[in-house]
Amino acid sequence: MESSNTLFLDHYFPSDVLKITEVIETDDKIIIHMKSISHTCVCPRCHQRLEHYHGTYIRKVQDLPILGKNVQLRIKAHEYICDNEGCPVRTGAETFNGFLNANRRMTQRCEDFICMLAIETSCEGCARICQAMNLYISGDSVIRFLTERYEAQPPPVCGETIGIDDFAFKKRSRYGTVIVDEATHKPVAVLNGRDSNTLKAWLRQNKQVRRITRDRASAYASAIEEILPDAMQIADRFHLHQNLLEAVQNALKSVVPADIKIPIDQGCSDNQQPTENTPKEGVKKK
């Protein structure tokens, strides 16, 4: 049996909703023309299935490079009308089973690769690496991808025991508050500011908290006392040692005077034996 050297591109795309019609290759680019063969789509807002056909348009999409060449998809896609009167979207575009999201210029797998690379390097470093791979993107677009994915995550749920501490976004200029779940040792919230009002708003939405480890900041103590009066407030290890040290110092100061005079024994001073540097009687120093 002869082995085939042909690369079947259909295997790398959702063939049940997309069909390749033409492939054009140049020195630095591969352009793949495709058309949609689906008859329905899902509204990106209300998530209802749309079947009311509206029209056809060409979507220009970037995919992962092939053999170092930039890959451009030219998809002849369908657009459907959303019949839901309560939905702000009037028309919806096809997403092709998660292969390409609505209003995106890159495929989902291409965005996944960029986000993974940005997390391991940096946004600007990721953009430079992608440019070298003939994948065109800017550092601002990488930041937007990461921000959108962060905002799309469900809010983290914390347990009954948390730790609170402040940190500096910019020293002596801007501060924040980090809240960590003591059971998982993972941050569950990062608040802008370190005042009591910021913490109060978060505590109102997390009334399940029963034990809070914090520093000695009075703003945190007053916020917890007001919103969760039954919660146990625990001083962390560093501040517990600091409290103990201050208590010992205060106890010593109350017993031991600040100035201690050590009396000199005159008898010992008169009978002091001469040292090597002191000349003895009857011996003349040369």
PDB file of all heavy atoms in Angstrom, residues 6-27:
ATOM      1  N   THR A   6      -0.392  13.648   1.065  1.00  0.00           N
ATOM      2  CA  THR A   6      -1.337  14.760   1.044  1.00  0.00           C
ATOM      3  C   THR A   6      -1.823  15.051   2.461  1.00  0.00           C
ATOM      4  O   THR A   6      -2.155  14.138   3.209  1.00  0.00           O
ATOM      5  CB  THR A   6      -2.541  14.438   0.147  1.00  0.00           C
ATOM      6  OG1 THR A   6      -2.045  14.104  -1.157  1.00  0.00           O
ATOM      7  CG2 THR A   6      -3.468  15.642   0.035  1.00  0.00           C
ATOM      8  N   LEU A   7      -1.858  16.338   2.805  1.00  0.00           N
ATOM      9  CA  LEU A   7      -2.354  16.760   4.111  1.00  0.00           C
ATOM     10  C   LEU A   7      -3.824  17.147   3.971  1.00  0.00           C
ATOM     11  O   LEU A   7      -4.170  18.061   3.226  1.00  0.00           O
ATOM     12  CB  LEU A   7      -1.538  17.954   4.631  1.00  0.00           C
ATOM     13  CG  LEU A   7      -1.965  18.519   5.985  1.00  0.00           C
ATOM     14  CD1 LEU A   7      -1.759  17.477   7.074  1.00  0.00           C
ATOM     15  CD2 LEU A   7      -1.170  19.789   6.307  1.00  0.00           C
ATOM     16  N   PHE A   8      -4.690  16.420   4.654  1.00  0.00           N
ATOM     17  CA  PHE A   8      -6.120  16.680   4.589  1.00  0.00           C
ATOM     18  C   PHE A   8      -6.478  17.718   5.658  1.00  0.00           C
ATOM     19  O   PHE A   8      -6.541  17.414   6.850  1.00  0.00           O
ATOM     20  CB  PHE A   8      -6.917  15.389   4.801  1.00  0.00           C
ATOM     21  CG  PHE A   8      -6.746  14.404   3.679  1.00  0.00           C
ATOM     22  CD1 PHE A   8      -5.836  13.366   3.806  1.00  0.00           C
ATOM     23  CD2 PHE A   8      -7.476  14.530   2.500  1.00  0.00           C
ATOM     24  CE1 PHE A   8      -5.665  12.456   2.773  1.00  0.00           C
ATOM     25  CE2 PHE A   8      -7.308  13.615   1.473  1.00  0.00           C
ATOM     26  CZ  PHE A   8      -6.400  12.578   1.600  1.00  0.00           C
ATOM     27  N   LEU A   9      -6.688  18.949   5.228  1.00  0.00           N
ATOM     28  CA  LEU A   9      -6.988  20.035   6.156  1.00  0.00           C
ATOM     29  C   LEU A   9      -8.368  19.903   6.772  1.00  0.00           C
ATOM     30  O   LEU A   9      -8.638  20.491   7.815  1.00  0.00           O
ATOM     31  CB  LEU A   9      -6.866  21.383   5.431  1.00  0.00           C
ATOM     32  CG  LEU A   9      -5.467  21.753   4.942  1.00  0.00           C
ATOM     33  CD1 LEU A   9      -5.506  23.082   4.197  1.00  0.00           C
ATOM     34  CD2 LEU A   9      -4.483  21.834   6.104  1.00  0.00           C
ATOM     35  N   ASP A  10      -9.260  19.138   6.139  1.00  0.00           N
ATOM     36  CA  ASP A  10     -10.610  18.985   6.686  1.00  0.00           C
ATOM     37  C   ASP A  10     -10.597  18.376   8.086  1.00  0.00           C
ATOM     38  O   ASP A  10     -11.516  18.611   8.871  1.00  0.00           O
ATOM     39  CB  ASP A  10     -11.452  18.107   5.755  1.00  0.00           C
ATOM     40  CG  ASP A  10     -11.759  18.805   4.434  1.00  0.00           C
ATOM     41  OD1 ASP A  10     -12.116  19.997   4.486  1.00  0.00           O
ATOM     42  OD2 ASP A  10     -11.601  18.178   3.374  1.00  0.00           O
ATOM     43  N   HIS A  11      -9.545  17.594   8.389  1.00  0.00           N
ATOM     44  CA  HIS A  11      -9.482  16.937   9.691  1.00  0.00           C
ATOM     45  C   HIS A  11      -9.226  17.932  10.819  1.00  0.00           C
ATOM     46  O   HIS A  11      -9.445  17.606  11.983  1.00  0.00           O
ATOM     47  CB  HIS A  11      -8.384  15.869   9.685  1.00  0.00           C
ATOM     48  CG  HIS A  11      -8.650  14.771   8.714  1.00  0.00           C
ATOM     49  ND1 HIS A  11      -7.679  13.852   8.342  1.00  0.00           N
ATOM     50  CD2 HIS A  11      -9.772  14.426   8.028  1.00  0.00           C
ATOM     51  CE1 HIS A  11      -8.198  12.996   7.465  1.00  0.00           C
ATOM     52  NE2 HIS A  11      -9.466  13.325   7.257  1.00  0.00           N
ATOM     53  N   TYR A  12      -8.752  19.123  10.506  1.00  0.00           N
ATOM     54  CA  TYR A  12      -8.389  20.105  11.529  1.00  0.00           C
ATOM     55  C   TYR A  12      -9.443  21.187  11.705  1.00  0.00           C
ATOM     56  O   TYR A  12      -9.210  22.169  12.408  1.00  0.00           O
ATOM     57  CB  TYR A  12      -7.048  20.749  11.168  1.00  0.00           C
ATOM     58  CG  TYR A  12      -5.939  19.739  11.023  1.00  0.00           C
ATOM     59  CD1 TYR A  12      -5.577  19.250   9.768  1.00  0.00           C
ATOM     60  CD2 TYR A  12      -5.272  19.243  12.134  1.00  0.00           C
ATOM     61  CE1 TYR A  12      -4.572  18.305   9.630  1.00  0.00           C
ATOM     62  CE2 TYR A  12      -4.264  18.300  12.007  1.00  0.00           C
ATOM     63  CZ  TYR A  12      -3.920  17.836  10.745  1.00  0.00           C
ATOM     64  OH  TYR A  12      -2.937  16.896  10.617  1.00  0.00           O
ATOM     65  N   PHE A  13     -10.594  21.026  11.078  1.00  0.00           N
ATOM     66  CA  PHE A  13     -11.690  21.977  11.191  1.00  0.00           C
ATOM     67  C   PHE A  13     -12.980  21.202  11.452  1.00  0.00           C
ATOM     68  O   PHE A  13     -13.081  20.014  11.107  1.00  0.00           O
ATOM     69  CB  PHE A  13     -11.825  22.808   9.909  1.00  0.00           C
ATOM     70  CG  PHE A  13     -10.600  23.609   9.576  1.00  0.00           C
ATOM     71  CD1 PHE A  13      -9.660  23.141   8.664  1.00  0.00           C
ATOM     72  CD2 PHE A  13     -10.365  24.835  10.187  1.00  0.00           C
ATOM     73  CE1 PHE A  13      -8.530  23.871   8.368  1.00  0.00           C
ATOM     74  CE2 PHE A  13      -9.239  25.580   9.890  1.00  0.00           C
ATOM     75  CZ  PHE A  13      -8.314  25.100   8.979  1.00  0.00           C
ATOM     76  N   PRO A  14     -13.968  21.848  12.077  1.00  0.00           N
ATOM     77  CA  PRO A  14     -15.258  21.149  12.303  1.00  0.00           C
ATOM     78  C   PRO A  14     -15.976  20.888  10.983  1.00  0.00           C
ATOM     79  O   PRO A  14     -16.698  21.746  10.459  1.00  0.00           O
ATOM     80  CB  PRO A  14     -16.018  22.128  13.204  1.00  0.00           C
ATOM     81  CG  PRO A  14     -15.397  23.454  12.945  1.00  0.00           C
ATOM     82  CD  PRO A  14     -13.966  23.206  12.632  1.00  0.00           C
ATOM     83  N   SER A  15     -15.758  19.709  10.434  1.00  0.00           N
ATOM     84  CA  SER A  15     -16.270  19.396   9.096  1.00  0.00           C
ATOM     85  C   SER A  15     -17.787  19.283   9.047  1.00  0.00           C
ATOM     86  O   SER A  15     -18.370  19.300   7.958  1.00  0.00           O
ATOM     87  CB  SER A  15     -15.654  18.086   8.597  1.00  0.00           C
ATOM     88  OG  SER A  15     -15.915  17.030   9.514  1.00  0.00           O
ATOM     89  N   ASP A  16     -18.449  19.182  10.212  1.00  0.00           N
ATOM     90  CA  ASP A  16     -19.897  19.076  10.205  1.00  0.00           C
ATOM     91  C   ASP A  16     -20.580  20.423   9.957  1.00  0.00           C
ATOM     92  O   ASP A  16     -21.754  20.471   9.586  1.00  0.00           O
ATOM     93  CB  ASP A  16     -20.398  18.472  11.516  1.00  0.00           C
ATOM     94  CG  ASP A  16     -19.908  19.271  12.718  1.00  0.00           C
ATOM     95  OD1 ASP A  16     -18.868  19.943  12.604  1.00  0.00           O
ATOM     96  OD2 ASP A  16     -20.582  19.226  13.760  1.00  0.00           O
ATOM     97  N   VAL A  17     -19.847  21.531  10.140  1.00  0.00           N
ATOM     98  CA  VAL A  17     -20.437  22.865   9.932  1.00  0.00           C
ATOM     99  C   VAL A  17     -19.633  23.704   8.952  1.00  0.00           C
ATOM    100  O   VAL A  17     -20.104  24.753   8.509  1.00  0.00           O
ATOM    101  CB  VAL A  17     -20.567  23.619  11.268  1.00  0.00           C
ATOM    102  CG1 VAL A  17     -21.627  22.987  12.145  1.00  0.00           C
ATOM    103  CG2 VAL A  17     -19.229  23.685  11.996  1.00  0.00           C
ATOM    104  N   LEU A  18     -18.415  23.287   8.606  1.00  0.00           N
ATOM    105  CA  LEU A  18     -17.581  24.047   7.683  1.00  0.00           C
ATOM    106  C   LEU A  18     -17.048  23.139   6.579  1.00  0.00           C
ATOM    107  O   LEU A  18     -16.707  21.973   6.820  1.00  0.00           O
ATOM    108  CB  LEU A  18     -16.398  24.695   8.424  1.00  0.00           C
ATOM    109  CG  LEU A  18     -16.696  25.904   9.295  1.00  0.00           C
ATOM    110  CD1 LEU A  18     -15.461  26.323  10.066  1.00  0.00           C
ATOM    111  CD2 LEU A  18     -17.222  27.063   8.459  1.00  0.00           C
ATOM    112  N   LYS A  19     -16.951  23.698   5.387  1.00  0.00           N
ATOM    113  CA  LYS A  19     -16.437  22.953   4.240  1.00  0.00           C
ATOM    114  C   LYS A  19     -15.407  23.808   3.519  1.00  0.00           C
ATOM    115  O   LYS A  19     -15.667  24.970   3.193  1.00  0.00           O
ATOM    116  CB  LYS A  19     -17.571  22.582   3.290  1.00  0.00           C
ATOM    117  CG  LYS A  19     -17.118  21.774   2.075  1.00  0.00           C
ATOM    118  CD  LYS A  19     -18.282  21.424   1.184  1.00  0.00           C
ATOM    119  CE  LYS A  19     -17.813  20.616  -0.023  1.00  0.00           C
ATOM    120  NZ  LYS A  19     -18.953  20.297  -0.931  1.00  0.00           N
ATOM    121  N   ILE A  20     -14.235  23.241   3.258  1.00  0.00           N
ATOM    122  CA  ILE A  20     -13.169  23.956   2.549  1.00  0.00           C
ATOM    123  C   ILE A  20     -13.474  23.959   1.059  1.00  0.00           C
ATOM    124  O   ILE A  20     -13.733  22.910   0.457  1.00  0.00           O
ATOM    125  CB  ILE A  20     -11.810  23.310   2.821  1.00  0.00           C
ATOM    126  CG1 ILE A  20     -11.475  23.381   4.317  1.00  0.00           C
ATOM    127  CG2 ILE A  20     -10.712  23.984   2.010  1.00  0.00           C
ATOM    128  CD1 ILE A  20     -10.173  22.696   4.692  1.00  0.00           C
ATOM    129  N   THR A  21     -13.430  25.143   0.463  1.00  0.00           N
ATOM    130  CA  THR A  21     -13.703  25.280  -0.975  1.00  0.00           C
ATOM    131  C   THR A  21     -12.449  25.570  -1.785  1.00  0.00           C
ATOM    132  O   THR A  21     -12.370  25.195  -2.951  1.00  0.00           O
ATOM    133  CB  THR A  21     -14.718  26.406  -1.211  1.00  0.00           C
ATOM    134  OG1 THR A  21     -14.209  27.628  -0.673  1.00  0.00           O
ATOM    135  CG2 THR A  21     -16.052  26.077  -0.536  1.00  0.00           C
ATOM    136  N   GLU A  22     -11.443  26.224  -1.171  1.00  0.00           N
ATOM    137  CA  GLU A  22     -10.239  26.572  -1.924  1.00  0.00           C
ATOM    138  C   GLU A  22      -9.104  26.872  -0.945  1.00  0.00           C
ATOM    139  O   GLU A  22      -9.329  27.429   0.132  1.00  0.00           O
ATOM    140  CB  GLU A  22     -10.492  27.793  -2.816  1.00  0.00           C
ATOM    141  CG  GLU A  22      -9.335  28.150  -3.733  1.00  0.00           C
ATOM    142  CD  GLU A  22      -9.613  29.387  -4.568  1.00  0.00           C
ATOM    143  OE1 GLU A  22     -10.642  30.054  -4.317  1.00  0.00           O
ATOM    144  OE2 GLU A  22      -8.810  29.680  -5.469  1.00  0.00           O
ATOM    145  N   VAL A  23      -7.888  26.523  -1.341  1.00  0.00           N
ATOM    146  CA  VAL A  23      -6.689  26.807  -0.554  1.00  0.00           C
ATOM    147  C   VAL A  23      -5.688  27.515  -1.449  1.00  0.00           C
ATOM    148  O   VAL A  23      -5.306  26.996  -2.501  1.00  0.00           O
ATOM    149  CB  VAL A  23      -6.071  25.524   0.027  1.00  0.00           C
ATOM    150  CG1 VAL A  23      -4.791  25.857   0.807  1.00  0.00           C
ATOM    151  CG2 VAL A  23      -7.064  24.808   0.929  1.00  0.00           C
ATOM    152  N   ILE A  24      -5.263  28.714  -1.036  1.00  0.00           N
ATOM    153  CA  ILE A  24      -4.296  29.510  -1.797  1.00  0.00           C
ATOM    154  C   ILE A  24      -3.050  29.674  -0.941  1.00  0.00           C
ATOM    155  O   ILE A  24      -3.120  30.144   0.195  1.00  0.00           O
ATOM    156  CB  ILE A  24      -4.878  30.888  -2.166  1.00  0.00           C
ATOM    157  CG1 ILE A  24      -6.147  30.711  -3.005  1.00  0.00           C
ATOM    158  CG2 ILE A  24      -3.850  31.725  -2.921  1.00  0.00           C
ATOM    159  CD1 ILE A  24      -6.864  32.012  -3.297  1.00  0.00           C
ATOM    160  N   GLU A  25      -1.888  29.303  -1.490  1.00  0.00           N
ATOM    161  CA  GLU A  25      -0.629  29.388  -0.765  1.00  0.00           C
ATOM    162  C   GLU A  25       0.311  30.360  -1.453  1.00  0.00           C
ATOM    163  O   GLU A  25       0.514  30.304  -2.667  1.00  0.00           O
ATOM    164  CB  GLU A  25       0.023  27.999  -0.677  1.00  0.00           C
ATOM    165  CG  GLU A  25       1.314  27.997   0.128  1.00  0.00           C
ATOM    166  CD  GLU A  25       1.912  26.607   0.246  1.00  0.00           C
ATOM    167  OE1 GLU A  25       1.306  25.659  -0.292  1.00  0.00           O
ATOM    168  OE2 GLU A  25       2.991  26.481   0.867  1.00  0.00           O
ATOM    169  N   THR A  26       0.883  31.280  -0.675  1.00  0.00           N
ATOM    170  CA  THR A  26       1.887  32.213  -1.165  1.00  0.00           C
ATOM    171  C   THR A  26       3.202  31.960  -0.424  1.00  0.00           C
ATOM    172  O   THR A  26       3.333  30.964   0.293  1.00  0.00           O
ATOM    173  CB  THR A  26       1.422  33.664  -0.964  1.00  0.00           C
ATOM    174  OG1 THR A  26       1.259  33.910   0.446  1.00  0.00           O
ATOM    175  CG2 THR A  26       0.094  33.909  -1.669  1.00  0.00           C
ATOM    176  N   ASP A  27       4.169  32.864  -0.598  1.00  0.00           N
ATOM    177  CA  ASP A  27       5.469  32.666   0.041  1.00  0.00           C
ATOM    178  C   ASP A  27       5.403  32.742   1.557  1.00  0.00           C
ATOM    179  O   ASP A  27       6.174  32.078   2.252  1.00  0.00           O
ATOM    180  CB  ASP A  27       6.466  33.710  -0.485  1.00  0.00           C
ATOM    181  CG  ASP A  27       6.773  33.512  -1.965  1.00  0.00           C
ATOM    182  OD1 ASP A  27       6.595  32.374  -2.452  1.00  0.00           O
ATOM    183  OD2 ASP A  27       7.176  34.492  -2.627  1.00  0.00           O
TER     184      ASP A  27
END
